[in-house]
Amino acid sequence: MEFAELIKTPRVDGVVLRRPFLPTVEGTLCLTGHHLILSSRQDNTEELWLLHANIDAIEKRFVGSLGTIIVKCKDLRVIQLDIPGMEECLNIASSIEVLSTLDSVSLMYPLFYRPMFQVIEDGWKSFLPEDAFKDLESMTEEWRLSDVNKDYSVCSSYPPLVAVPKDVDDDTLRKAAAFRHGGRFPVLSYYHKKNGMVMMRSGQPLTGTNGRRCKEDEKLINATLRAGKRGYIIDTRTVSVAQQAKARGGGFESEANYPQWRRIHKAIERSSILQESLIKLVEACNDQSHSMDRWLSKLEASNWQTHVKEILTTACLAAQCIDREGASVLVHGTEGTDSTLQVTSLAQIILDPACRTIQGFQALVEREWLQAGHPFQQRCSQSAYSNSKPRCEAPVFLLFLDCVWQILRQFPCSFQFSQHFLVLLFEHTYASQFGTFMGNSASERSKLNLSQKTVSLWSWVNRPQEVERLSNPLYEANCLVIWPSVAPQSLLLWEGVFLRWKRSSRCLDEAYDEMVHIIQYNKELQNKVNNLRRQLAQLETEEPLLQTP
Amino acid sequence: MEHIRTPKVEQVRLLDRFSNKSASGTLHLTATHLIFVESNADAAQEIWILHHHIGSVEKLSLTTSGCPLVIQCRNFRVVHFVVQRERDCHDIYSSLLRLLRPVSYEELYAFSYNPKQNEQQREEGWQLIDLGAEFERMGVPCDQWQLTDVNRNYKICETYPRDLYVPITASKPIIVGSSKFRSKGRFPVLTYFYQEKKAAVCRCSQPLSGFSARCLEDESMLQAISKANHNSRFVYVMDTRPKLNAMANRAAGKGYENEDNYSNIRFQFVGIENIHVMRTSLQKLLEVVGTRSLSVNDYLLGLESSGWLRHVKAVLDAAIFLTKAVTVEGASVLVHCSDGWDRTAQVCSLGALLMDPYYRTINGFMVLIEKDWISFGHKFADRCDQLDGDPKEVSPVFTQFLECVWQLTEQFPQAFEFNEWLLLQIHEHVHSCQYGNFLANNQRQREELQLKDRTHSLWAFLLSEGQNYLNPAFCHTYAETHPVLEPSTLPCHLKFWRNMYHQFDRSMHPRQSVLKNVLTLKESNRQLEDTIMKLEAVTLSPSHPLSLALLKEAQHQEEVGEEAKKCCSDTERTVEGSSGSERKESYGDLQGTYGAKVEPAVVSLEFGVARMTC
């Protein structure tokens, strides 16, 4: 299929663009296979280059022969295009509709994108499981890297290499995999260096209504316990949801078969409910009425902040079990690809200072989300404005980013990155020129050969100028565990995402720049003082006369 | 003191209100403070509670562990003690009941408070603010506005200050006539003059119009205000009450201006609720946020049903209306409510803050409060319950004003010279009765009490530690680029002020404070600049005989500086988060439902209050 067939009208002159905080621009609208471009052909005005993939929904309006297209983007921005001529407007609208909802992976932009920057370090090779395991090996000998999944046959959503207890052989893993949802047998997620406790994750056990058991599964997770120690199983679902899962062949670990484990149920919602929550929240934020009561009740009805609190609470619980109780933890929900990952990754942010650096956070996203098989493509194919019925869409990763932002707000000096990094990740999960978030699992990415055919987001992020932009000037390495407050009064609405297009952030940005300036100036002054000291000390030694008391 | 039955009770437990944590220690009752000293020697926390800060004391029924005593403070601290013996508990309870209800002004702390200051310093403190100079700064008196001496003896209006500014054409009979037609004699006077457009902001109380009464002098007064501004043919009259309330007042012989009787006015209701609604609203809000293990939904629904943010928005909207009328249309505005000392004070002062960058400086903000609140007779004594009075007169009108200012500082982080701590500290002392500024209800009462001779001024104290209240992001040129602020009052832009209503609930706050960090860096920058200057002087003239000494001195100074910095952040900057040194050990701890964490020793906000008495 050629893109040209899909583009009914490639260009229209005299189009007026209106968008938040920028002056109105009149110019030529061009449609390419992947972009909507508006250019005024004047040097001083900003052009619009919008990825079709970023378009969530469009609306058409007509007044006489003047057509208007409202473009609602996945990054929650809303822009307006006034197009003279009804036919042109209809053509443009239907072309955008088709181009922004192409299902075929082979037509996606990252496969066509050629980087305009020099790739210093190939992001596809930056965070290989082998390298991560080398770090683990330096701390403990109790774990091994298994390639039981090398052809993705044991678990289609796992990477080829996973860390498992040393004493458990691949055969046991295969059997345990057959007992876990999606073949997701328990694997290592995090090793807590301080006390040697671990966090594992998996899919739900397939106990069904008959209470099936699997000796190999029991053996596998018991192998992670120290003698005489108990562990915790954190089931991200409520007891009743977990009970209901039995009817569909799922279930949870019974006390009888797992006597060394204590099970705790939490209440993180399933993905379809989260999507609905996002839609309601964005609608509340775009409400034009000036009524405070309406805003608060809509915000409440969206339940977004409740989800944030629930996820953070569960992550704190997991972290507490490991750090405070000195116990190992297994986390799972149903599939083990959504709420499970929210909990395991946030617990690591709390426990592990390395995850709070720019590189470390990338490694965390790579390990706990991409390699761990979070289905990004399914979850992020629609955002809050889409009119089509959601299939598998859900802001699971966005909620994770929101939770990280909450912790960042509470520990503003403990993260090497600023909220810009989180916003950037949000944008790229929904629409990107990079291949990083394409596909739903390691196996899909490898089939598409993305590491050869696309550029990695990390290649872009890890260039010095970008690292600089994403850095937090207040950062001071902090090796402690950081416990966030989860009281509703401590949780804030993430303005940087949800109110981003409501009001210009100029005032806040300028204040931020001033803060950066103060910090940089401090460094300069300190250097200067040190240099002067050195000079003076030299003078002292050159003129020993002065040293007389 | 005769009211103190038991000065000291040991083995008292202090319960945290949001978790299961507790601390045990000794409770001391002094003439001015209730003090809790934790017995744990390592992290001995001390809590000092000024009697005037105590809003209510409640003795709950006896439990197996002892007798619970719950104390709610006006600065939003809530403490929950458990006293082992019921008799001790009862003694403290009844002593406090007497102590927190002073019957005469002379009993208030301000009259016994004695910082280490000599008489001259004390007097200078009172001279810091000169409202005459402030009106001069605005450009008054001028060809249209003059100072009148009609109220020199508080004869016309006893709740107004002596010095009042009126239009040049308003003769004495007009003033007297108008004052008789206004509730409590509070006739229209100037409070702010917008020089650029010669537009005036005037304030007064409601007219005694009933259903049909009119007063020619009052009409001439408004005419005079209108005439004093050549830029506009009319003057806005803003009635800050909801229309229904204003209409109800007509039955009591009060009411609002009839547009038919006053030529060239544009009348407008803006709908801010009265003091009773505000009191109930804040009470509800505090009830909601004081709930243990509060869910997000209950929190948001509680915020909504309390109506507090809705009221904050209404006040801000009114101030924005006023500002637009003055700065955009160039029209003069007359603001009133019922008595003209609550909503009127809020709207006039916030409007001025939006229009005039001077009020966004530390000095200017003090002047603003002195002018629109203190001198124009906001009834601080009644509203803040300084003496045992009518509980229906108590209302958080001033707190609400401070919150509106905070909302503005959040939206315009570079526009204000001061930071949030100044607002919190002012709030603290409005209720502490430690300084004379806010005592009593009006200037006349203050003069009778001879406050300037017998008490100290808060402003002097605040300025003496001004570096704590600086906003590091403040931009001096902001005033030129943004003389008038245009805030958003979209509901999603107004936030719950956690640092005010939870200021003593440390577990709710960020564990690291950006403000504190940047303030410390700024301070360090100043010291480094100084060091560089000295070092450069020496390196440029190497034969300087003092070079070695200077090198050493510089080094030494820097060390001292470092120490001073540490000390400063430990003892003083503890409003939110943890300070530099304690950060290292303490914030790696869970809060809330999870863990038993030891709260670091902190005397939080009352650092100014507590230390100086004992």
Side-chain angles (χ1 to χ4, degrees), chain B residues 63-202:
Chain B
T63 67
T64 46
S65 55
C67 191
L69 194 67
V70 179
I71 296 174
Q72 311 234 14
C73 301
R74 297 183 215 282
N75 53 10
F76 309 116
R77 186 201 276 277
V78 178
V79 281
H80 193 145
F81 292 118
V82 179
V83 183
Q84 273 195 337
R85 292 197 308 167
E86 195 185 4
R87 226 197 63 210
D88 289 337
C89 187
H90 185 78
D91 281 351
I92 292 184
Y93 174 71
S94 44
S95 304
L96 282 178
L97 274 192
R98 175 62 192 87
L99 287 167
L100 64 89
R101 294 258 168 266
V103 285
S104 78
Y105 285 112
E106 271 80 3
E107 286 180 53
L108 296 178
Y109 187 30
F111 291 94
S112 58
Y113 171 64
N114 187 15
K116 291 183 191 98
Q117 262 188 1
N118 59 34
E119 193 52 25
Q120 194 196 345
Q121 285 171 314
R122 204 188 56 77
E123 274 168 24
E124 280 169 6
W126 282 110
Q127 285 153 10
L128 279 169
I129 285 168
D130 174 358
L131 289 184
E134 168 55 13
F135 278 94
E136 257 173 56
R137 187 194 66 88
M138 294 179 207
V140 178
C142 61
D143 58 343
Q144 297 294 333
W145 293 88
Q146 66 179 3
L147 177 67
T148 168
D149 59 2
V150 289
N151 205 37
R152 270 287 139 83
N153 309 314
Y154 299 111
K155 280 271 166 57
I156 307 275
C157 174
E158 59 174 14
T159 59
Y160 266 171
R162 288 177 193 270
D163 291 342
L164 294 167
Y165 296 82
V166 292
I168 223 136
T169 52
S171 63
K172 198 167 175 185
I174 289 180
I175 294 174
V176 174
S178 170
S179 80
K180 285 187 176 142
F181 189 63
R182 293 275 168 181
S183 192
K184 309 278 195 309
R186 294 170 69 92
F187 62 97
V189 293
L190 182 78
T191 178
Y192 180 68
F193 189 64
Y194 188 67
Q195 231 172 334
E196 198 182 312
K197 302 227 162 134
K198 305 268 180 245
V201 178
C202 298

Side-chain angles (χ1 to χ4, degrees), chain B residues 553-596:
Chain B
E553 188 210 349
Q555 249 159 356
H556 175 69
Q557 268 195 346
E558 195 142 284
E559 279 153 22
V560 171
E562 287 287 318
E563 231 146 68
K565 213 162 68 192
K566 263 187 221 150
C567 156
C568 178
S569 52
D570 278 1
T571 58
E572 295 182 308
R573 290 175 185 162
T574 46
V575 179
E576 62 166 5
S578 45
S579 60
S581 66
E582 71 198 22
R583 188 170 78 198
K584 295 274 167 350
E585 315 100 39
S586 73
Y587 71 68
D589 279 280
L590 261 184
Q591 70 85 38
T593 43
Y594 302 105

